[in-house]
Amino acid sequence: MANVTLVLGALTCPSCLKKIKGALVKTKGVQDVRVLFNAGKAKIKYDSQVVTPEELSDIVKKLGYEVKQVQIQSEVG
Amino acid sequence: MHITMFYHKYNQQILWFTGILTGLGLILSHNNLLGSISAVLLIISGVIGAIPVITRALSALRYKTISIELLVTIAVIGAFVVQAYHEAAIVTFLFLLGDFLQAKTLTKTRRAIQQLSDLAPTTARVKAADGQLISVPIDQLKPGTIVAVSAGDQIPVDGKVTKGQGYATEAAITGEANYISKAVGSSVYAGTLLKDGLLEIETQVVGAESTFGKIIDLVESAQDNQSATGDFIDHFAKYYTPAVLILGIIVFLWTGNLNLAITLLVLGCPGALVIGAPVALVAGIGSAAKQGILIKGGSVTAQLAKTDTLIFDKTGTLTKGQPAVVKAITYHEPDITLLKTIYNVERHSNHPLSQAVGNYLQKQYQLATKLTGDPQVEAIPGAGLAIENNTILVGSERLLQRYNVTITPQQQANIQALSAAGHTLVLIASQGQLILALGINDQLRPEVPETLDQLRHLGIKHLVMLTGDHQASAEAMATGLDLDEVHGDLLPQDKLTWLKQYQQAGHVVAFVGDGINDSPALAQADVGIAMGNGAAVALETADMTLLQSSFTSLGRAVALSRRIHANTVQNISIAVITVAVLLSGLLFGLVDMGIGMFVHEASILIVIANASRLLRIKKASTQAASVSKVTQNNDLGGI
């Protein structure tokens, strides 16, 4: 399992949050998603064998949201 | 390009464009000849403005949410149907303008936390194989990597100093700007600054796992973590918005008046209601975090606003948690050789009493901190130390009796008085005579009386001290303090029992502990507040964490929590009153769609402005902070 934080542009509507979360949760290899509305971040726990941070970032971009930065954290466990 | 992104990128230009078209359209509409041009302009403006609103409404619908955008969309379409083009244009323009201003002002309320997370280090300098220092992104560091930090640099990781020395300020973590000495073996924290010196640090944890990373994560999550009231408003809005929609449909079916129905939709928008509570929370939590006060969400501020009982664990909260000599009685003026010998022994010991004695002697008699010589010592377990073939004795009364030191009745009386006052005794004797009697105790933090006063003013009715220390010692410490109850001789589970008793008696209880050994009480309390040196450890358990080891920050935290809660209540009131006024205005035929939208957007900006007040730190509290800093510095200078 690995963790990645996507730093997003400012989120202004709660439905954006649901949309992003919904799309990420459905992605294969994604274990857990936390979207922090006020901080404008998506924290994702994923299986690095199945999906890459770049693919996750692309999913968010395709929904029409800006991804400012991709922060990868070291492998956990 | 994705349409949402297009609008996001050019939102300012689109705003200007629709604004100008709407303005022109409205001016021209007064001229009968140009009426059709006016209508065209208004239609163009209305359509351009409506597109982003409609896309957002549809995307929310896909997630089964009836959003404000949907109400506006229907209203605007309705306005087109009844050919009220000016209404359509005004409403969409104002809605976009409101959105734009909201985003701008929201950024401001979010800035406090943004600034905090911007402090997180991104690169570290690592020694390469050839001895050169190279800059490496934080993500690539592993535990065990040695990083180099020079004066003026940010410390990039949590770790231990392996080489060098210097001074760091840990303001990013504690909010305190004091210089802290760092040498081989010291712990250092990511995000803090090395002000002076040169260090090599062995990496222990990096990034999100570091203390600083955890603090940021906690604050960011806390801002989304609403109080019960906030949640209620969310739920309310979830049902409220569809209710407005249904009401609009009923009105239309009943009266056949489409104009009235769509006006109702606009007036019923719950804009300020949706944003009022969260924006206060975001501003408040961000502002608190900058002062070293971590609040875990809206439920904490709401609970703390209701709190009437505050329970303190004594050691480490009311007191500094470090024993020191508080009372000294001199019977014979000690000679300098004797003092140097004792100091030399004490400073090599890790025993807290030894450190207290060593610090006291050094300070009182101005001994040099670096002494040569290695006196012969014998430790007598549970009694003290016998130095240089039993010629010097440092320890309890029992130790002195054992070596037949004469204690006069007068001295005996002094010793008893010191014990009765709750002090631990250390006696110093030389050549069969008692020279010094030292009373050692934990010290009260100097800012305690003032803060207890402040807490009373904030409406805390019961101030209670619980401690594992002896009752006599606890009571002696509490003398002169404005405490209602003092209970000593308690085991951790006894503290829990007391706490539950207060809760059963109907009190809302906050527990203040130093975070390490008080986890059960922190968890049981309505609000668990961890404070001081161990606070970073208790991030997970506590509802509120005070990173600064000062009692003043407790007063500030309670005051700020109450302000956040009050602000939330104000914002909800403003929102509810706005809707009520608008709807009654509609009943009397005083408002139309344009005015309604205007008032709505204005109310949203008002609640954001109100919340922004939380970003300003009150002058009184900063003054109190600087006072406490001065006293702390004096203490440090003295030791």
Side-chain angles (χ1 to χ4, degrees):
Chain A
M1 281 306 114
N3 287 305
V4 65
T5 301
L6 305 179
V7 182
L8 312 170
L11 299 176
T12 46
C13 55
S15 58
C16 319
L17 181 152
K18 284 187 190 160
K19 217 194 300 186
I20 294 171
K21 186 168 178 169
L24 288 170
V25 165
K26 273 184 240 146
T27 310
K28 250 194 186 157
V30 171
Q31 292 275 316
D32 187 37
V33 181
R34 274 199 305 152
V35 181
L36 301 173
F37 179 64
N38 288 297
K41 285 182 182 173
K43 301 202 167 189
I44 309 159
K45 196 171 167 192
Y46 65 99
D47 187 345
S48 50
Q49 314 273 326
V50 182
V51 70
T52 67
E54 289 69 34
E55 285 166 350
L56 294 172
S57 157
D58 282 344
I59 290 170
V60 176
K61 281 183 192 157
K62 269 188 204 137
L63 288 174
Y65 297 96
E66 191 187 359
V67 177
K68 286 182 176 169
Q69 212 187 330
V70 181
Q71 297 167 344
I72 304 159
Q73 277 119 49
S74 51
E75 298 266 325
V76 185
Chain B
M1 197 192 299
H2 200 287
I3 193 148
T4 322
M5 253 187 171
F6 176 81
Y7 269 96
H8 183 76
K9 200 168 172 193
Y10 298 105
N11 69 348
Q12 226 163 322
Q13 286 87 335
I14 289 164
L15 192 60
W16 279 114
F17 187 63
T18 53
I20 291 167
L21 284 188
T22 309
L24 273 179
L26 287 180
I27 293 165
L28 295 181
S29 67
H30 293 294
N31 185 321
N32 288 335
L33 291 174
L34 301 169
S36 53
I37 298 178
S38 151
V40 171
L41 291 179
L42 289 172
I43 289 172
I44 295 173
S45 166
V47 169
I48 292 176
I51 289 171
V53 184
I54 295 170
T55 27
R56 269 188 276 161
L58 292 179
S59 88
L61 258 190
R62 220 178 301 153
Y63 291 91
K64 300 190 179 71
T65 311
I66 294 184
S67 59
I68 301 174
E69 282 85 357
L70 187 66
L71 295 187
V72 177
T73 300
I74 297 173
V76 169
I77 293 172
F80 276 117
V81 172
V82 296
Q83 301 190 341
Y85 305 128
H86 63 288
E87 297 270 33
I90 292 173
V91 165
T92 49
F93 169 67
L94 285 176
F95 192 72
L96 290 182
L97 178 68
D99 240 26
F100 174 74
L101 293 176
Q102 240 182 80
K104 276 259 181 276
T105 45
L106 273 181
T107 317
K108 214 179 247 175
T109 61
R110 287 171 179 168
R111 195 176 293 153
I113 169 68
Q114 185 62 41
Q115 284 168 345
L116 189 68
S117 78
D118 283 348
L119 286 175
T122 50
T123 60
R125 285 188 302 144
V126 176
K127 218 175 237 175
D130 60 356
Q132 290 279 345
L133 288 176
I134 47 165
S135 191
V136 171
I138 286 291
D139 323 6
Q140 294 176 18
L141 294 179
K142 295 266 177 293
T145 311
I146 304 284
V147 298
V149 182
S150 47
D153 282 355
Q154 200 180 32
I155 294 170
V157 296
D158 278 11
K160 279 233 174 332
V161 177
T162 53
K163 201 174 157 190
Q165 60 172 16
Y167 288 90
T169 60
E170 302 188 338
I173 293 204
T174 64
E176 267 178 288
N178 294 341
Y179 281 44
I180 298 158
S181 163
K182 298 290 176 191
V184 174
S186 303
S187 293
V188 290
Y189 302 98
T192 59
L193 278 178
L194 187 67
K195 285 290 183 182
D196 186 35
L198 195 66
L199 299 180
E200 283 187 13
I201 296 160
E202 184 184 333
T203 306
Q204 285 170 334
V205 280
V206 193
E209 294 303 307
S210 68
T211 305
F212 190 58
K214 281 185 188 157
I215 289 173
I216 293 174
D217 183 64
L218 187 142
V219 176
E220 285 177 346
S221 315
Q223 292 189 316
D224 291 351
N225 177 4
Q226 295 224 14
S227 66
T229 327
D231 277 345
F232 171 75
I233 295 293
D234 268 3
H235 283 288
F236 178 69
K238 203 154 85 193
Y239 295 107
Y240 175 86
T241 322
V244 171
L245 184 59
I246 292 167
L247 190 66
I249 294 170
I250 291 173
V251 165
F252 176 60
L253 294 178
W254 194 275
T255 63
N257 185 342
L258 182 60
N259 206 357
L260 180 67
I262 57 178
T263 309
L264 187 69
L265 291 189
V266 170
L267 299 190
C269 278
L273 206 53
V274 172
I275 207 167
V279 76
L281 196 62
V282 168
I285 285 179
S287 174
K290 278 181 105 178
Q291 301 175 61
I293 300 164
L294 306 184
I295 303 171
K296 257 196 196 161
S299 52
V300 178
T301 54
Q303 281 289 352
L304 205 52
K306 282 190 275 176
T307 298
D308 59 355
T309 303
L310 208 53
I311 300 182
F312 306 97
D313 171 50
K314 189 194 78 162
T315 311
T317 53
L318 285 166
T319 68
K320 292 179 177 168
Q322 291 162 337
V325 173
V326 289
K327 183 102 180 126
I329 304 171
T330 314
Y331 297 107
H332 294 281
E333 200 53 45
D335 74 86
I336 196 77
T337 337
L338 172 78
L339 291 169
K340 279 183 177 167
T341 311
I342 297 171
Y343 175 60
N344 234 338
V345 171
E346 298 287 27
R347 76 193 177 97
H348 286 116
S349 166
N350 281 328
H351 195 285
L353 286 181
S354 291
Q355 287 185 343
V357 172
N359 284 337
Y360 171 76
L361 293 181
Q362 195 272 325
K363 176 174 130 190
Q364 186 69 20
Y365 298 100
Q366 287 157 11
L367 303 176
T369 44
K370 281 181 183 166
L371 293 175
T372 51
D374 193 9
Q376 180 269 331
V377 194
E378 189 192 345
I380 318 291
L385 304 168
I387 304 167
E388 301 287 32
N389 303 315
N390 310 336
T391 55
I392 304 169
L393 303 169
V394 181
S396 67
E397 201 181 342
R398 209 147 51 88
L399 177 79
L400 270 58
Q401 283 163 354
R402 182 168 164 173
Y403 289 97
N404 301 318
V405 175
T406 333
I407 295 175
T408 66
Q410 167 66 35
Q411 291 167 343
Q412 190 66 49
N414 292 151
I415 290 169
Q416 267 164 13
L418 285 175
S419 301
H423 302 315
T424 307
L425 270 185
V426 171
L427 303 173
I428 295 179
S430 170
Q431 290 158 351
Q433 274 189 323
L434 180 59
I435 292 176
L436 273 173
L438 303 175
I440 294 177
N441 216 328
D442 200 355
Q443 298 158 282
L444 199 68
R445 292 174 187 272
E447 65 274 20
V448 165
E450 194 190 332
T451 307
L452 289 181
D453 238 32
Q454 188 194 357
L455 291 170
R456 288 256 185 233
H457 282 297
L458 288 169
I460 309 279
K461 296 197 187 77
H462 301 273
L463 294 167
V464 182
M465 170 169 127
L466 300 182
T467 177
D469 286 6
H470 295 304
Q471 183 72 24
S473 172
E475 275 172 12
M477 187 66 75
T479 316
L481 290 182
D482 185 16
L483 292 170
D484 299 297
E485 293 173 52
V486 175
H487 302 287
D489 299 305
L490 301 178
L491 298 169
Q493 58 265 39
D494 300 331
K495 292 184 192 171
L496 206 58
T497 316
W498 274 106
L499 207 161
K500 283 181 184 162
Q501 272 178 25
Y502 286 111
Q503 286 177 324
Q504 274 154 14
H507 295 291
V508 181
V509 184
F511 180 87
V512 189
D514 68 0
I516 303 162
N517 48 17
D518 289 323
S519 303
L522 285 175
Q524 171 67 35
D526 298 291
V527 181
I529 304 175
M531 168 175 161
N533 303 324
V537 185
L539 283 178
E540 317 275 326
T541 336
D543 298 311
M544 184 187 260
T545 308
L546 310 177
L547 295 167
Q548 257 179 58
S549 181
S550 100
F551 207 69
T552 322
S553 70
L554 177 67
R556 237 180 299 157
V558 174
L560 188 60
S561 288
R562 302 218 160 186
R563 283 179 61 204
I564 296 171
H565 186 69
N567 203 288
T568 311
V569 173
Q570 289 157 11
N571 277 356
I572 293 172
S573 312
I574 292 171
V576 171
I577 290 170
T578 307
V579 172
V581 167
L582 282 179
L583 288 182
S584 43
L586 180 66
L587 277 182
F588 295 105
L590 294 172
V591 287
D592 64 10
M593 238 165 111
I595 295 175
M597 187 47 99
F598 178 77
V599 173
H600 256 304
E601 295 301 341
S603 73
I604 291 175
L605 295 179
I606 289 170
V607 296
I608 296 177
N610 187 39
S612 309
R613 292 190 305 130
L614 292 171
L615 295 172
R616 287 201 304 266
I617 297 159
K618 269 194 178 164
K619 270 207 177 114
S621 58
T622 39
Q623 252 169 17
S626 62
V627 168
S628 88
K629 220 159 248 177
V630 169
T631 39
Q632 275 175 3
N633 286 347
N634 281 348
D635 282 348
L636 286 177
I639 289 170

